[in-house]
Amino acid sequence: MNATQYVARKPDADGVIHYSDEENAIWHTLIARQLACVEGRACDEYVAGLARLALPHDRIPQLDDINRVLSPATGWQVSRVPALISFDRFFELLANRRFPVATFIRSRKELDYLQEPDIFHELFGHCALLTNPAFARFTHIYGQLGRDASPRDRGFLARLYWFTVEFGLLNTPSGRRIYGGGILSSPGETRHVFESDIPEFRPFEILDVLRTPYRIDIMQPIYYVLDSIDDLFAIAEMDIMAEVKKARRLGLFAPTFAAKQNAS
């Protein structure tokens, strides 16, 4: 894991996390602009989940408020974690229907992009869809597979997560719509999907997904598109680890992006 400048907030004796006026103001800025950005671009299932969560606009919500919606909907809860956690901890949480949320929010100088997921990314980007049974089921199965996988196999599973939970798109009668939290929580990535002629949109084939390299610090050159959010049910029922074995044997596709330059 890389180092981070951020420190997650801890709750008081009553379980309440106290955020500063500036942190709440950053939340307000982020949610107001991103709601406008994803309007007409997010999938219906996300919009419905966001309505159920009823996230406040003027302050960072408490995790208990999120759990009061998620638990009866799909049996999921969010769990407070530090800014960075190990892969073991990440998969263990998902395997137990606990979605990790680091309780810090980005600074204004990183308003548009930061590599580590903050509370805005996790709550606004992901938690609305955790009210959806197909998304919740897929994420649970993914956690179970990752918990039991070897480090090498986890690398292939990471690509599955990246191109679904983080950067997934749907085909709908109204056109492409977003379900991936990495797009939903990013104005730049949202515009990249809908306003740029650079990205390539590929139909979802699990073996291709597992073999596709990615970088976390660029706008994505490739997105994989499902025909329905319910396709995640079918993916969850696949023998995903058998597909991982095939991907290992075949190897990765050639990257469609430049190699990252190391700072000298």
Side-chain angles (χ1 to χ4, degrees):
M1 294 182 294
N2 296 322
T4 177
Q5 64 172 309
Y6 293 103
V7 177
R9 292 281 194 171
K10 295 181 179 180
D12 63 16
D14 297 319
V16 176
I17 298 175
H18 298 276
Y19 293 99
S20 68
D21 290 344
E22 170 64 2
E23 288 168 323
N24 285 321
I26 290 171
W27 171 272
H28 172 74
T29 297
L30 289 168
I31 198 170
R33 73 173 188 173
Q34 198 56 17
L35 281 170
C37 194
V38 303
E39 184 175 2
R41 294 168 167 174
C43 68
D44 289 345
E45 294 82 0
Y46 173 82
V47 174
L50 200 62
R52 292 179 73 172
L53 287 181
L55 297 174
H57 291 196
D58 61 335
R59 59 177 175 81
I60 300 171
Q62 298 295 316
L63 298 190
D64 283 349
D65 296 335
I66 307 300
N67 288 337
R68 277 190 281 273
V69 177
L70 292 185
S71 291
T74 57
W76 275 79
Q77 292 188 355
V78 290
S79 291
R80 180 179 63 86
V81 299
L84 294 173
I85 59 174
S86 68
F87 288 118
D88 285 343
R89 180 65 175 150
F90 173 73
F91 287 117
E92 186 66 32
L93 284 167
L94 296 188
N96 287 287
R97 294 191 182 92
R98 301 291 185 269
F99 199 82
V101 174
T103 49
F104 72 90
I105 196 162
R106 69 196 71 181
S107 67
R108 286 196 181 274
K109 68 180 181 180
E110 292 191 298
L111 210 61
D112 293 328
Y113 175 78
L114 76 165
Q115 290 194 21
E116 53 266 72
D118 69 346
I119 195 167
F120 178 75
H121 170 84
E122 304 292 25
L123 297 188
F124 185 88
H126 292 305
C127 283
L129 271 168
L130 283 172
T131 64
N132 177 268
F135 186 89
R137 172 67 174 164
F138 172 79
T139 309
H140 181 216
I141 293 296
Y142 178 85
Q144 292 178 321
L145 294 175
R147 178 193 59 194
D148 300 331
S150 68
R152 184 180 180 188
D153 285 348
R154 283 178 176 179
F156 285 91
L157 289 173
R159 298 180 192 96
L160 178 59
Y161 192 88
W162 187 260
F163 289 111
T164 54
V165 175
E166 291 293 353
F167 289 93
L169 295 170
L170 300 179
N171 284 319
T172 78
S174 301
R176 290 193 192 100
R177 294 293 182 264
I178 314 164
Y179 75 93
I183 311 174
L184 289 164
S185 62
S186 167
E189 199 81 33
T190 302
R191 289 191 294 268
H192 182 65
V193 168
F194 286 93
E195 300 173 14
S196 172
D197 59 2
I198 295 173
E200 178 184 353
F201 302 95
R202 298 180 179 178
F204 186 97
E205 297 290 344
I206 189 168
L207 189 57
D208 290 347
V209 169
L210 294 170
R211 298 178 64 203
T212 302
Y214 65 87
R215 273 179 57 179
I216 68 171
D217 58 341
I218 60 173
M219 297 294 177
Q220 298 304 300
I222 296 170
Y223 301 93
Y224 283 95
V225 188
L226 295 174
D227 288 327
S228 166
I229 197 72
D230 287 337
D231 288 349
L232 291 173
F233 274 131
I235 297 169
E237 297 309 313
M238 288 180 180
D239 189 345
I240 293 173
M241 298 313 296
E243 297 299 315
V244 167
K245 288 181 181 179
K246 293 178 188 177
R248 284 174 54 180
R249 185 173 66 252
L250 293 169
L252 299 183
F253 294 132
T256 58
F257 48 81
K260 185 175 183 179
Q261 300 297 314
N262 292 325
S264 57

